[in-house]
Amino acid sequence: MRSHVLVLTLLCGCPKPTPVAEEAEPEKVEPPAGTRAYMAGHYALAVEGREAVIVGNRDGWQSAGNQIAGYTRATVGLPEPWQDRLGELAFQGGELGTSETRHKAARAVAEMARTCGACHTENGPGPAFNFESAPLAASTVEERMLRHQWASERMWEGLVTPSPTLFETGARALTGAPMWGAETLPEDVAPLEGRIQAIGEQALAATKDSERVAAYGELLALCADCHAAAR
C-alpha cells in the first residue's frame, strides 16, 4: 500500500511537459496577374543564354544575360519573397552578361537554373516537363550528340523544377554514353570525350544543390569546348 501511495505522489508531483508549438509554414502569396508571362520571358532568356554557351556564341550569352540583369524588382508587383529571388537572378544575369569565357558563362547559367528551382520550391510549383525516352546509343556522331543533348536537358530541368530524380535521370544517360576512342575522333576532340562519363558520375554523386550546379556547369562548358575544338 505504501508503494502505491508513493507512486501516486510522484506522478502527481511531476510537472506536465510544456507543449512545443509547431512552427507554422510561411503562407504562400498569390502572384499578380501577368506573372506567368513574366516568368516565361525569364525562362526564354535563360534558355537563350544556355544555348549560346553550348555553341560558343559569346555575343549571344552576353546579350541574354544583360537582358535578365535588366529586370527590376518592382516589375509586375511581385510579392516580396519572389522579389528576393528575382534579385539573385538579375545578379546572375549580370555575371553571364560580363562573362568573357565559356566556363564562366556556363557556371552563371547553371546558377540561374538553381535560382529558378529555389524560387519554385519557396513560392509555388515549378514547370512540368514532358520528354521522350533517351535516344538509343547509335554509331554516328550526330546520333550520339542527340543522346548527350537529351541528358543535358534532363539535368537542366532537374535544376529548374527542381527535381533531383530528373537530374539523376540525365546524369545516368551520361554515364552510359558510348565512347569512340582516340582513333576515331579528331585530334582536338579525343581528349574531351572521356570527360562525358566522368561528369555523369560527378552528377550522380551530387547530394547538394551546389554540387549539382557544379556538375551541370561542367557539362555545359564541356559541350562548348568540344564544339570549339571540332570547328
Side-chain angles (χ1 to χ4, degrees), residues 58-104:
R58 183 171 61 188
D59 289 342
W61 78 57
Q62 289 181 342
S63 173
N66 287 330
Q67 289 181 72
I68 292 173
Y71 281 99
T72 64
R73 291 172 60 84
T75 307
V76 303
L78 291 174
E80 192 60 33
W82 296 54
Q83 299 274 15
D84 294 339
R85 291 299 183 185
L86 181 60
E88 289 180 28
L89 194 65
F91 173 79
Q92 290 152 358
E95 291 288 295
L96 180 62
T98 57
S99 293
E100 295 291 335
T101 68
R102 296 187 295 268
H103 286 242
K104 184 179 178 182

Short mmCIF file of all heavy atoms in Angstrom, two decimals, residues 58-104:
data_model
loop_
_atom_site.label_atom_id
_atom_site.label_comp_id
_atom_site.label_asym_id
_atom_site.label_seq_id
_atom_site.Cartn_x
_atom_site.Cartn_y
_atom_site.Cartn_z
N ARG A 58 29.59 34.06 -77.74
CA ARG A 58 29.76 34.99 -76.62
C ARG A 58 28.80 36.17 -76.70
O ARG A 58 28.23 36.57 -75.68
CB ARG A 58 31.21 35.49 -76.55
CG ARG A 58 31.47 36.41 -75.36
CD ARG A 58 32.94 36.70 -75.21
NE ARG A 58 33.48 37.36 -76.39
CZ ARG A 58 34.78 37.60 -76.59
NH1 ARG A 58 35.65 37.21 -75.68
NH2 ARG A 58 35.19 38.20 -77.68
N ASP A 59 28.63 36.74 -77.88
CA ASP A 59 27.69 37.85 -78.02
C ASP A 59 26.28 37.42 -77.60
O ASP A 59 25.55 38.19 -76.97
CB ASP A 59 27.67 38.36 -79.47
CG ASP A 59 28.94 39.09 -79.85
OD1 ASP A 59 29.69 39.50 -78.93
OD2 ASP A 59 29.20 39.25 -81.07
N GLY A 60 25.91 36.19 -77.95
CA GLY A 60 24.58 35.69 -77.62
C GLY A 60 24.38 35.52 -76.13
O GLY A 60 23.35 35.93 -75.60
N TRP A 61 25.35 34.91 -75.43
CA TRP A 61 25.15 34.72 -73.98
C TRP A 61 25.23 36.04 -73.23
O TRP A 61 24.53 36.23 -72.24
CB TRP A 61 26.08 33.66 -73.41
CG TRP A 61 27.51 34.02 -73.13
CD1 TRP A 61 27.98 35.02 -72.32
CD2 TRP A 61 28.69 33.34 -73.63
NE1 TRP A 61 29.35 35.02 -72.29
CE2 TRP A 61 29.82 33.99 -73.07
CE3 TRP A 61 28.89 32.25 -74.47
CZ2 TRP A 61 31.13 33.60 -73.35
CZ3 TRP A 61 30.19 31.86 -74.75
CH2 TRP A 61 31.29 32.53 -74.20
N GLN A 62 26.06 36.96 -73.71
CA GLN A 62 26.14 38.26 -73.04
C GLN A 62 24.85 39.05 -73.22
O GLN A 62 24.37 39.70 -72.29
CB GLN A 62 27.34 39.04 -73.56
CG GLN A 62 28.67 38.48 -73.09
CD GLN A 62 29.86 39.30 -73.58
OE1 GLN A 62 29.75 40.08 -74.54
NE2 GLN A 62 31.01 39.12 -72.95
N SER A 63 24.27 38.97 -74.41
CA SER A 63 23.00 39.67 -74.66
C SER A 63 21.89 39.13 -73.78
O SER A 63 21.15 39.90 -73.14
CB SER A 63 22.61 39.52 -76.14
OG SER A 63 21.32 40.06 -76.37
N ALA A 64 21.77 37.81 -73.70
CA ALA A 64 20.74 37.20 -72.86
C ALA A 64 20.95 37.56 -71.40
O ALA A 64 20.01 37.91 -70.68
CB ALA A 64 20.74 35.69 -73.05
N GLY A 65 22.19 37.49 -70.94
CA GLY A 65 22.49 37.81 -69.54
C GLY A 65 22.17 39.25 -69.20
O GLY A 65 21.59 39.54 -68.15
N ASN A 66 22.52 40.16 -70.08
CA ASN A 66 22.26 41.58 -69.81
C ASN A 66 20.77 41.89 -69.79
O ASN A 66 20.32 42.76 -69.03
CB ASN A 66 22.97 42.44 -70.86
CG ASN A 66 24.47 42.49 -70.65
OD1 ASN A 66 24.96 42.39 -69.52
ND2 ASN A 66 25.22 42.61 -71.73
N GLN A 67 20.00 41.18 -70.60
CA GLN A 67 18.55 41.39 -70.57
C GLN A 67 17.96 40.89 -69.25
O GLN A 67 17.07 41.52 -68.68
CB GLN A 67 17.89 40.67 -71.75
CG GLN A 67 18.18 41.33 -73.09
CD GLN A 67 17.49 40.59 -74.22
OE1 GLN A 67 16.26 40.67 -74.36
NE2 GLN A 67 18.26 39.88 -75.02
N ILE A 68 18.45 39.75 -68.77
CA ILE A 68 17.97 39.24 -67.49
C ILE A 68 18.38 40.19 -66.36
O ILE A 68 17.60 40.47 -65.44
CB ILE A 68 18.54 37.83 -67.22
CG1 ILE A 68 17.92 36.84 -68.21
CG2 ILE A 68 18.26 37.38 -65.79
CD1 ILE A 68 18.53 35.46 -68.17
N ALA A 69 19.58 40.71 -66.44
CA ALA A 69 20.06 41.65 -65.42
C ALA A 69 19.23 42.93 -65.40
O ALA A 69 19.16 43.62 -64.38
CB ALA A 69 21.53 41.98 -65.66
N GLY A 70 18.60 43.25 -66.52
CA GLY A 70 17.83 44.49 -66.62
C GLY A 70 16.47 44.43 -65.97
O GLY A 70 15.81 45.46 -65.80
N TYR A 71 16.01 43.23 -65.59
CA TYR A 71 14.73 43.15 -64.90
C TYR A 71 14.84 43.82 -63.53
O TYR A 71 15.80 43.63 -62.81
CB TYR A 71 14.33 41.68 -64.70
CG TYR A 71 13.74 41.03 -65.92
CD1 TYR A 71 14.52 40.22 -66.74
CD2 TYR A 71 12.41 41.24 -66.26
CE1 TYR A 71 13.98 39.62 -67.87
CE2 TYR A 71 11.87 40.64 -67.38
CZ TYR A 71 12.65 39.83 -68.18
OH TYR A 71 12.12 39.24 -69.29
N THR A 72 13.84 44.60 -63.17
CA THR A 72 13.87 45.31 -61.90
C THR A 72 12.98 44.63 -60.88
O THR A 72 12.05 43.90 -61.22
CB THR A 72 13.40 46.77 -62.07
OG1 THR A 72 12.03 46.77 -62.47
CG2 THR A 72 14.24 47.49 -63.11
N ARG A 73 13.25 44.88 -59.60
CA ARG A 73 12.49 44.26 -58.52
C ARG A 73 11.03 44.70 -58.51
O ARG A 73 10.16 43.98 -58.03
CB ARG A 73 13.14 44.61 -57.17
CG ARG A 73 14.48 43.94 -56.96
CD ARG A 73 15.16 44.49 -55.70
NE ARG A 73 14.36 44.28 -54.51
CZ ARG A 73 14.36 43.15 -53.80
NH1 ARG A 73 15.11 42.14 -54.18
NH2 ARG A 73 13.62 43.03 -52.71
N ALA A 74 10.74 45.86 -59.03
CA ALA A 74 9.38 46.37 -58.95
C ALA A 74 8.49 45.87 -60.09
O ALA A 74 7.29 46.08 -60.08
CB ALA A 74 9.41 47.89 -58.99
N THR A 75 9.08 45.20 -61.07
CA THR A 75 8.32 44.79 -62.24
C THR A 75 7.13 43.90 -61.87
O THR A 75 7.27 42.99 -61.07
CB THR A 75 9.23 44.03 -63.23
OG1 THR A 75 10.38 44.83 -63.49
CG2 THR A 75 8.51 43.76 -64.53
N VAL A 76 5.98 44.17 -62.43
CA VAL A 76 4.69 43.49 -62.26
C VAL A 76 4.26 43.32 -60.80
O VAL A 76 3.33 42.58 -60.51
CB VAL A 76 4.65 42.10 -62.96
CG1 VAL A 76 4.94 42.22 -64.42
CG2 VAL A 76 5.51 41.08 -62.29
N GLY A 77 4.90 43.99 -59.87
CA GLY A 77 4.46 43.97 -58.48
C GLY A 77 4.51 42.63 -57.81
O GLY A 77 3.59 42.23 -57.10
N LEU A 78 5.58 41.89 -58.02
CA LEU A 78 5.71 40.56 -57.41
C LEU A 78 5.78 40.65 -55.89
O LEU A 78 6.32 41.60 -55.34
CB LEU A 78 6.96 39.85 -57.93
CG LEU A 78 6.94 39.43 -59.41
CD1 LEU A 78 8.30 38.89 -59.80
CD2 LEU A 78 5.87 38.40 -59.66
N PRO A 79 5.27 39.64 -55.18
CA PRO A 79 5.38 39.61 -53.72
C PRO A 79 6.85 39.61 -53.28
O PRO A 79 7.73 39.18 -54.04
CB PRO A 79 4.69 38.30 -53.33
CG PRO A 79 3.81 37.98 -54.49
CD PRO A 79 4.49 38.51 -55.70
N GLU A 80 7.11 40.04 -52.07
CA GLU A 80 8.48 40.20 -51.59
C GLU A 80 9.31 38.91 -51.68
O GLU A 80 10.47 38.97 -52.10
CB GLU A 80 8.46 40.72 -50.14
CG GLU A 80 9.83 41.19 -49.66
CD GLU A 80 10.39 42.34 -50.49
OE1 GLU A 80 9.60 43.17 -50.97
OE2 GLU A 80 11.63 42.40 -50.65
N PRO A 81 8.78 37.73 -51.31
CA PRO A 81 9.61 36.53 -51.43
C PRO A 81 10.08 36.27 -52.86
O PRO A 81 11.18 35.78 -53.09
CB PRO A 81 8.68 35.41 -50.94
CG PRO A 81 7.69 36.10 -50.06
CD PRO A 81 7.48 37.44 -50.69
N TRP A 82 9.22 36.61 -53.82
CA TRP A 82 9.60 36.44 -55.23
C TRP A 82 10.67 37.47 -55.61
O TRP A 82 11.58 37.20 -56.38
CB TRP A 82 8.39 36.63 -56.13
CG TRP A 82 7.30 35.64 -55.96
CD1 TRP A 82 6.66 35.29 -54.80
CD2 TRP A 82 6.70 34.85 -56.99
NE1 TRP A 82 5.70 34.35 -55.05
CE2 TRP A 82 5.69 34.06 -56.38
CE3 TRP A 82 6.89 34.75 -58.36
CZ2 TRP A 82 4.90 33.17 -57.10
CZ3 TRP A 82 6.10 33.88 -59.09
CH2 TRP A 82 5.13 33.09 -58.47
N GLN A 83 10.52 38.67 -55.05
CA GLN A 83 11.45 39.75 -55.38
C GLN A 83 12.88 39.39 -54.99
O GLN A 83 13.84 39.73 -55.69
CB GLN A 83 11.02 41.03 -54.64
CG GLN A 83 9.65 41.55 -55.00
CD GLN A 83 9.67 42.46 -56.23
OE1 GLN A 83 10.64 42.48 -56.97
NE2 GLN A 83 8.60 43.21 -56.43
N ASP A 84 13.03 38.71 -53.86
CA ASP A 84 14.38 38.35 -53.40
C ASP A 84 15.07 37.44 -54.41
O ASP A 84 16.24 37.63 -54.75
CB ASP A 84 14.30 37.66 -52.03
CG ASP A 84 13.82 38.60 -50.94
OD1 ASP A 84 13.93 39.83 -51.14
OD2 ASP A 84 13.33 38.12 -49.90
N ARG A 85 14.35 36.42 -54.86
CA ARG A 85 14.93 35.51 -55.86
C ARG A 85 15.14 36.22 -57.19
O ARG A 85 16.10 35.93 -57.92
CB ARG A 85 14.02 34.29 -56.05
CG ARG A 85 13.97 33.38 -54.85
CD ARG A 85 15.35 32.80 -54.54
NE ARG A 85 15.30 31.86 -53.43
CZ ARG A 85 16.37 31.29 -52.89
NH1 ARG A 85 17.57 31.56 -53.36
NH2 ARG A 85 16.25 30.46 -51.88
N LEU A 86 14.27 37.14 -57.51
CA LEU A 86 14.44 37.91 -58.74
C LEU A 86 15.73 38.72 -58.70
O LEU A 86 16.44 38.84 -59.70
CB LEU A 86 13.24 38.84 -58.95
CG LEU A 86 13.25 39.70 -60.22
CD1 LEU A 86 13.30 38.81 -61.45
CD2 LEU A 86 12.02 40.58 -60.26
N GLY A 87 16.04 39.26 -57.52
CA GLY A 87 17.30 39.98 -57.37
C GLY A 87 18.50 39.08 -57.60
O GLY A 87 19.49 39.48 -58.23
N GLU A 88 18.43 37.83 -57.11
CA GLU A 88 19.51 36.88 -57.34
C GLU A 88 19.66 36.57 -58.82
O GLU A 88 20.77 36.51 -59.36
CB GLU A 88 19.24 35.58 -56.59
CG GLU A 88 19.37 35.68 -55.08
CD GLU A 88 19.09 34.34 -54.42
OE1 GLU A 88 19.33 33.29 -55.07
OE2 GLU A 88 18.63 34.34 -53.26
N LEU A 89 18.52 36.38 -59.48
CA LEU A 89 18.54 36.06 -60.90
C LEU A 89 19.12 37.21 -61.72
O LEU A 89 19.89 36.98 -62.66
CB LEU A 89 17.12 35.74 -61.38
CG LEU A 89 17.00 35.07 -62.74
CD1 LEU A 89 17.63 33.68 -62.73
CD2 LEU A 89 15.54 34.97 -63.16
N ALA A 90 18.77 38.42 -61.35
CA ALA A 90 19.31 39.58 -62.05
C ALA A 90 20.83 39.67 -61.87
O ALA A 90 21.56 39.98 -62.81
CB ALA A 90 18.64 40.86 -61.55
N PHE A 91 21.30 39.36 -60.66
CA PHE A 91 22.75 39.37 -60.41
C PHE A 91 23.44 38.32 -61.27
O PHE A 91 24.48 38.60 -61.89
CB PHE A 91 23.03 39.10 -58.93
CG PHE A 91 24.48 38.93 -58.61
CD1 PHE A 91 25.31 40.04 -58.47
CD2 PHE A 91 25.03 37.66 -58.48
CE1 PHE A 91 26.67 39.88 -58.21
CE2 PHE A 91 26.38 37.48 -58.21
CZ PHE A 91 27.20 38.60 -58.07
N GLN A 92 22.87 37.13 -61.32
CA GLN A 92 23.48 36.07 -62.12
C GLN A 92 23.41 36.39 -63.61
O GLN A 92 24.32 36.03 -64.38
CB GLN A 92 22.79 34.73 -61.81
CG GLN A 92 23.11 34.24 -60.41
CD GLN A 92 22.03 33.37 -59.81
OE1 GLN A 92 20.98 33.14 -60.41
NE2 GLN A 92 22.28 32.87 -58.60
N GLY A 93 22.34 37.07 -64.02
CA GLY A 93 22.27 37.53 -65.40
C GLY A 93 23.40 38.50 -65.70
O GLY A 93 24.01 38.45 -66.78
N GLY A 94 23.70 39.37 -64.74
CA GLY A 94 24.84 40.28 -64.91
C GLY A 94 26.16 39.54 -65.02
O GLY A 94 27.04 39.92 -65.81
N GLU A 95 26.30 38.46 -64.24
CA GLU A 95 27.51 37.64 -64.33
C GLU A 95 27.64 37.02 -65.73
O GLU A 95 28.73 36.99 -66.31
CB GLU A 95 27.47 36.51 -63.29
CG GLU A 95 27.60 36.99 -61.85
CD GLU A 95 29.01 37.46 -61.55
OE1 GLU A 95 29.94 36.64 -61.59
OE2 GLU A 95 29.17 38.67 -61.29
N LEU A 96 26.52 36.54 -66.26
CA LEU A 96 26.53 35.98 -67.61
C LEU A 96 26.83 37.06 -68.64
O LEU A 96 27.60 36.83 -69.59
CB LEU A 96 25.18 35.32 -67.90
CG LEU A 96 25.00 34.68 -69.28
CD1 LEU A 96 26.00 33.54 -69.47
CD2 LEU A 96 23.57 34.17 -69.45
N GLY A 97 26.23 38.22 -68.44
CA GLY A 97 26.42 39.31 -69.39
C GLY A 97 27.84 39.84 -69.47
O GLY A 97 28.23 40.42 -70.49
N THR A 98 28.62 39.64 -68.42
CA THR A 98 30.00 40.12 -68.42
C THR A 98 31.01 38.98 -68.58
O THR A 98 32.22 39.23 -68.52
CB THR A 98 30.31 40.88 -67.12
OG1 THR A 98 30.05 40.02 -65.99
CG2 THR A 98 29.45 42.13 -67.00
N SER A 99 30.53 37.76 -68.79
CA SER A 99 31.44 36.62 -68.91
C SER A 99 32.17 36.66 -70.25
O SER A 99 31.55 36.79 -71.31
CB SER A 99 30.65 35.30 -68.80
OG SER A 99 30.12 35.14 -67.52
N GLU A 100 33.47 36.53 -70.17
CA GLU A 100 34.29 36.52 -71.37
C GLU A 100 34.68 35.10 -71.78
O GLU A 100 35.13 34.88 -72.90
CB GLU A 100 35.55 37.37 -71.16
CG GLU A 100 35.28 38.85 -70.95
CD GLU A 100 34.76 39.53 -72.22
OE1 GLU A 100 35.04 39.02 -73.32
OE2 GLU A 100 34.06 40.55 -72.09
N THR A 101 34.55 34.14 -70.87
CA THR A 101 34.96 32.78 -71.16
C THR A 101 33.76 31.83 -71.12
O THR A 101 32.77 32.10 -70.43
CB THR A 101 36.00 32.27 -70.14
OG1 THR A 101 35.37 32.15 -68.85
CG2 THR A 101 37.18 33.23 -70.05
N ARG A 102 33.87 30.75 -71.87
CA ARG A 102 32.79 29.76 -71.90
C ARG A 102 32.54 29.16 -70.52
O ARG A 102 31.40 28.93 -70.13
CB ARG A 102 33.14 28.65 -72.90
CG ARG A 102 33.27 29.11 -74.34
CD ARG A 102 33.44 27.93 -75.28
NE ARG A 102 34.69 27.21 -75.07
CZ ARG A 102 35.82 27.47 -75.71
NH1 ARG A 102 35.86 28.47 -76.60
NH2 ARG A 102 36.91 26.76 -75.49
N HIS A 103 33.61 28.92 -69.77
CA HIS A 103 33.46 28.26 -68.48
C HIS A 103 32.77 29.16 -67.46
O HIS A 103 31.92 28.68 -66.69
CB HIS A 103 34.84 27.81 -67.97
CG HIS A 103 35.37 26.62 -68.70
ND1 HIS A 103 35.63 25.41 -68.10
CD2 HIS A 103 35.66 26.43 -70.02
CE1 HIS A 103 36.07 24.55 -68.99
NE2 HIS A 103 36.09 25.15 -70.17
N LYS A 104 33.11 30.43 -67.45
CA LYS A 104 32.44 31.34 -66.53
C LYS A 104 30.97 31.51 -66.90
O LYS A 104 30.09 31.54 -66.03
CB LYS A 104 33.15 32.70 -66.53
CG LYS A 104 32.56 33.67 -65.51
CD LYS A 104 33.29 35.01 -65.52
CE LYS A 104 32.64 35.97 -64.52
NZ LYS A 104 33.29 37.30 -64.54
#
